[in-house]
Amino acid sequence: MTHTASRRLIVALDFETLDEAFTFAEKLVGLVGLFKIGKQLFTAAGPEAVRRIASLGTGIFLDLKYHDIPNTVNGALRAAAALPGIKLVNIHTLGGFEMMRQAAQTIASVPNPPKLLGVTILTSTDQKTMREVGISGTPASRVLALAKLAKKAGLDGLVASAQEVKALRRACGKDFILAIGGIRPDLKVAGGRNASKRKQDDQSRIATPGATICAGADYLIVGRPINAAPDPVAAARAILDEVAEAEAEMKSAKKN
């Protein structure tokens, strides 16, 4: 049964084999807006992973974070856009303005183009990690600067962390797509729901589904809280229920 909030949910298919990913994805059809195929599954199974998952009728976010010279990125994007069911693709904004500008032009030139998102500072990256690789400032300040550069280059939106949603929405406008990772349904955070504490895995900048939607996110990208859950369907439904509650609160607030 389709959930009204399902359009918001992107579930990561982080599995070692395509058979595992397909069996898992079958259970969530109707509860998921898009399935995310990233480096692990794509490296294991290649374009066949996209073809087989797309056969379920749910769109694909191809999360390969292209970061190379413009000519190489452009070729990769054309190949990605030719695969079935691709609705979102992404590139790394640290590739620079010219790489992003050409990537946006390339995507715009293909039939039925997917939306092109930029990746700024990974949700696993904290300020200490940034300093280690020579990037100054805070994660939030770098994300905002890269977001503005991405919008100027013609990208459709960003993959970002929940902690930056409000600032990104203010800086980039209501039509800029924000797909947000680092979602932890049962983690207590400032302004979030649910009081139980869980480990953060390798994420540093995290928030709950409801808080993230209220902050202005378009999509929630969820991996382990669903695909490592004892009952993935129940876990997905719980997230969608929280999203629907947040949407109702926002609608009510606009009326008042």
Side-chain angles (χ1 to χ4, degrees):
M1 182 183 296
T2 301
H3 195 294
T4 56
S6 64
R7 69 192 186 284
R8 301 270 204 173
L9 182 58
I10 300 174
V11 172
L13 299 180
D14 296 328
F15 294 93
E16 293 184 358
T17 70
L18 179 50
D19 284 344
E20 285 180 280
F22 186 83
T23 299
F24 173 82
E26 279 186 304
K27 301 174 184 177
L28 294 177
V29 171
L31 293 175
V32 173
L34 299 170
F35 286 114
K36 182 171 80 72
I37 294 177
K39 291 183 176 68
Q40 181 180 14
L41 184 57
F42 197 83
T43 300
E48 182 58 26
V50 174
R51 297 187 186 100
R52 193 168 173 198
I53 298 300
S55 73
L56 294 171
T58 302
I60 304 295
F61 170 20
L62 189 60
D63 176 27
L64 299 180
K65 302 180 182 71
Y66 299 124
H67 183 180
D68 213 310
I69 63 172
N71 187 62
T72 298
V73 170
N74 295 340
L77 287 172
R78 283 191 292 269
L83 292 170
I86 302 294
K87 304 300 181 185
L88 298 175
V89 293
N90 61 3
I91 61 177
H92 213 300
T93 59
L94 290 174
F97 178 81
E98 186 58 23
M99 187 201 80
M100 290 192 283
R101 185 188 69 81
Q102 290 193 31
Q105 291 181 342
T106 295
I107 284 294
S109 72
V110 303
N112 302 312
K115 297 296 185 182
L116 179 62
L117 306 184
V119 175
T120 57
I121 302 297
L122 299 177
T123 52
S124 59
T125 300
D126 57 17
Q127 193 162 356
K128 177 177 179 292
T129 304
M130 287 174 52
R131 287 198 303 270
E132 289 171 347
V133 297
I135 300 176
S136 62
T138 64
S141 67
R142 291 301 90 207
V143 167
L144 196 58
L146 289 166
K148 291 176 180 178
L149 194 66
K151 184 175 182 182
K152 182 179 178 182
L155 271 61
D156 297 300
L158 284 185
V159 179
S161 99
Q163 305 303 316
E164 289 99 33
V165 177
K166 288 184 178 179
L168 289 172
R169 185 57 74 207
R170 286 194 298 268
C172 298
K174 63 182 180 65
D175 295 326
F176 202 62
I177 298 168
L178 297 180
I180 306 303
I183 303 300
R184 291 296 180 265
D186 54 353
L187 180 76
K188 183 178 176 62
V189 295
R193 295 171 171 79
N194 304 314
S196 62
K197 178 76 174 178
R198 62 163 283 158
K199 73 186 183 81
Q200 299 180 13
D201 300 309
D202 57 0
Q203 304 282 6
S204 295
R205 305 191 323 276
I206 56 181
T208 60
T212 306
I213 291 298
C214 286
D218 295 298
Y219 295 105
L220 304 181
I221 304 170
V222 184
R224 284 163 289 193
I226 292 177
N227 60 37
D231 186 342
V233 171
R237 286 190 178 279
I239 289 173
L240 293 174
D241 288 344
E242 187 173 334
V243 169
E245 180 186 347
E247 289 178 331
E249 289 178 6
M250 292 165 62
K251 187 175 180 180
S252 177
K254 285 182 179 179
K255 289 181 178 179
N256 298 331

